Amino acid sequence: MPNTRILSLQAEHVGILQGRYERVLEGHGYDGLLISSGAAPTRYGDDQSWHFQGFGPFLHWTGLTGFEHAWLLIRPGRKPLLSVYQPVDFWHASVELAQEPWLAEFELCFSESRSAPGLAGVSRLAVTGDPSLLANVPGEHNSPGLCEALSETRVHKTAYEIACLAQANQLALAGHSAAREAFLAGASEFEINLAYQRATQQREADAPYNSIIGVNGHAGTLHYQYYDTTTPAKPRSLLIDAGVRYRGYCSDITRTTAGAEEGRFGALVQGLEQLQLRLCDMVAPGVDYVDIHRKTHLGIAALLSAAGLVSGLSDEELVSEGITRAFFPHGIGHFLGVQVHDVAGKPELSPADAPFLRLMRTLEPGMVVTIEPGLYFIPSLLEPLLSGPLGNHMNRPLIDELRECGGIRIEDNVVVTDTGHRNLTREAEA
């Protein structure tokens, strides 16, 4: 049950969104916006549907993740109209709408029809949602300029959103603690996943993304998607990237644990965590997020040299020669909100030295970002280096020794404040 502070903040949040959306509608010449919550599509050639979690703009307003075929009508100077689909259905349970104070900020109606509500009094209507559900709805659908402006309304989080993200972090960390304990007790990837779900009390289908749980070499696949049901003879490492969805808002946390006898790998984990904390401390208004990414590569270079994985090159040479990209191939992070990779992060293309970076903006108060450096032993990336002209700088025996540990990633969720930052993940760990 949400606490009274979060419920109060949601009412304020709705008022803030009303003002933001009214300005967007005025700027684009509309006097109404209809938002579809969406619905789970049916699998091709089957009568089963994919799991449903809701369309971003609808969740931004309501946090109602399980409400298919609902509609939200935004009109300047009037309360938002929330139309909830409630069919008479003996096959499936209908989702109950909790009677919470924030609903007083809406006009509320219930319908047995999946159709959009009445649109009387709206002369120029914009509509946004899954095009497959909008076929018979009047208005201008998914205008690119309008959709871009709506995405911008999600960049600066309200106090309600930050409170939800903080709660999502707290819930997820209970799962991470249980996962670590299960790994150290000899559990398989499948059993570790069950321990995580048991601790978070959230089905994986309802989580913001499928948990990444990699033991040993599997930790070197960035988005490893399977769960082994057997434990390896010698568990050497665990990488778990897993979150929780709370009132629509996502946490996205990664932790890496070294096995009991993995002193070298454990030292690398500790070194990367110290780097990660320094990078989190860089988060502040006016900081170019790309600069944090580039600082990460210099930090990875220093760690590679200190660990004896690479020798004979300066930190700057390790970066310029592409060696750090072989060990750290992804970006330092992304926006976070009602989507794990939240919208509006890339108003321009990523630079050549950071092709997978998902966030290309200068940080401003209210933004929420992830900071997630990694260091991996990925054969397809390392072999060209080992066999090339730079191979004499690489410590192949040590790389081979650590290869079956897979890799390391450590990820926190960080809010940009007026004067610096709040690390929601470390706050919840304290």
Side-chain angles (χ1 to χ4, degrees), residues 326-400:
F327 287 92
F328 172 51
H330 59 78
I332 189 58
H334 48 81
F335 274 154
L336 185 69
V338 293
Q339 291 172 223
V340 178
H341 300 145
D342 215 3
V343 294
K346 291 186 68 172
E348 58 188 73
L349 294 176
S350 302
D353 64 336
F356 302 114
L357 188 59
R358 299 179 187 270
L359 179 53
M360 296 289 301
R361 296 183 69 139
T362 298
L363 298 180
E364 299 171 0
M367 292 179 173
V368 180
V369 302
T370 65
I371 299 294
E372 47 181 306
L375 195 161
Y376 311 90
F377 300 93
I378 302 172
S380 63
L381 300 181
L382 293 178
E383 285 302 330
L385 282 176
L386 290 166
S387 60
L390 296 171
N392 61 316
H393 295 284
M394 314 283 285
N395 187 336
R396 181 182 277 274
L398 182 55
I399 289 172
D400 288 342

Side-chain angles (χ1 to χ4, degrees), residues 8-227:
S8 174
L9 287 173
Q10 188 169 8
E12 297 175 9
H13 169 76
V14 170
I16 292 169
L17 293 194
Q18 181 74 23
R20 291 179 183 178
Y21 269 57
E22 286 186 2
R23 289 189 289 274
V24 168
L25 292 176
E26 181 182 7
H28 288 78
Y30 298 103
D31 60 358
L33 171 66
L34 184 65
I35 302 171
S36 167
S37 70
T42 302
R43 299 172 186 170
Y44 177 71
D46 199 348
D47 63 354
Q48 300 295 306
S49 297
W50 300 105
H51 190 74
F52 175 72
Q53 290 192 340
F55 180 46
F58 183 85
L59 296 182
H60 191 208
W61 278 86
T62 69
L64 300 175
T65 56
F67 286 73
E68 298 183 81
H69 302 291
W71 301 88
L72 184 62
L73 179 62
I74 311 300
R75 298 155 296 180
R78 297 181 62 177
K79 284 185 175 182
L81 170 65
L82 175 60
S83 177
V84 178
Y85 174 55
Q86 284 199 334
V88 177
D89 186 356
F90 56 84
W91 289 106
H92 304 96
S94 295
V95 183
E96 295 293 329
L97 184 64
Q99 295 305 302
E100 295 178 340
W102 63 272
L103 288 172
E105 306 301 318
F106 292 80
E107 293 180 33
L108 190 60
C109 67
F110 298 89
S111 174
E112 295 182 12
S113 169
R114 296 177 175 183
S115 301
L119 302 168
V122 178
S123 59
R124 189 175 180 212
L125 176 70
V127 184
T128 188
D130 183 343
S132 67
L133 302 175
L134 306 181
N136 297 316
V137 179
E140 189 172 338
H141 295 183
N142 293 318
S143 165
L146 178 69
C147 289
E148 183 178 341
L150 296 180
S151 292
E152 283 293 320
T153 69
R154 292 161 57 182
V155 168
H156 302 93
K157 270 49 180 182
T158 65
Y160 165 75
E161 294 179 276
I162 292 170
C164 287
L165 290 164
Q167 182 67 14
N169 269 261
Q170 185 171 10
L171 294 170
L173 283 169
H176 278 268
S177 177
R180 173 186 168 85
E181 292 174 8
F183 164 71
L184 293 174
S188 68
E189 291 170 350
F190 181 76
E191 291 166 333
I192 292 167
N193 183 51
L194 292 180
Y196 180 85
Q197 290 185 51
R198 189 177 299 114
T200 60
Q201 293 290 289
Q202 186 166 86
R203 295 189 307 164
E204 188 167 45
D206 294 319
Y209 56 97
N210 290 339
S211 299
I212 300 165
I213 298 174
V215 171
N216 291 4
H218 294 162
T221 300
L222 301 185
H223 286 171
Y224 177 69
Q225 70 270 42
Y226 304 111
Y227 303 139

